[in-house]
Amino acid sequence: MTGSVLTIPTDVSSGDCVRPAFAQIEERFGRVDILVNSAGAARLRAIEETADEDIHTCIGTNPQGPIHTVRSAAPLLPARAEAGDSVHVCRARPVHAPDLDTP
């Protein structure tokens, strides 16, 4: 298998950042064959210690990031049914936070 890969670091929580990234992709390749969403954010704190910025980061990255990228990739995906995949990776790892444990 041969092909090209292009990585573009961008803030997926912002549609204003995602759209120019896909413009670069369109300019270089003309289409998207596969989109992998693997960005994730977690700010583990007790709820009363959670700042508005923590919430904004998690919500902006986790559910909104894939929406921004899929929305921007959709026009570049091939019309053929056998091509143009989108993969969404949800990453989770166990975290032990003793200060959050309840007796």
Side-chain angles (χ1 to χ4, degrees), residues 19-66:
R19 283 186 291 277
F22 278 88
Q24 290 180 43
I25 293 165
E26 182 176 25
E27 183 178 313
R28 180 159 173 193
F29 298 111
R31 70 183 209 183
V32 171
D33 290 319
I34 186 165
L35 169 65
V36 177
N37 281 310
S38 67
R43 304 272 175 94
L44 301 175
R45 294 172 178 69
I47 191 66
E48 65 272 12
E49 297 172 4
T50 303
D52 290 346
E53 181 59 30
D54 297 329
I55 296 167
H56 174 76
T57 297
C58 292
I59 299 299
T61 302
N62 299 330
Q64 290 180 343

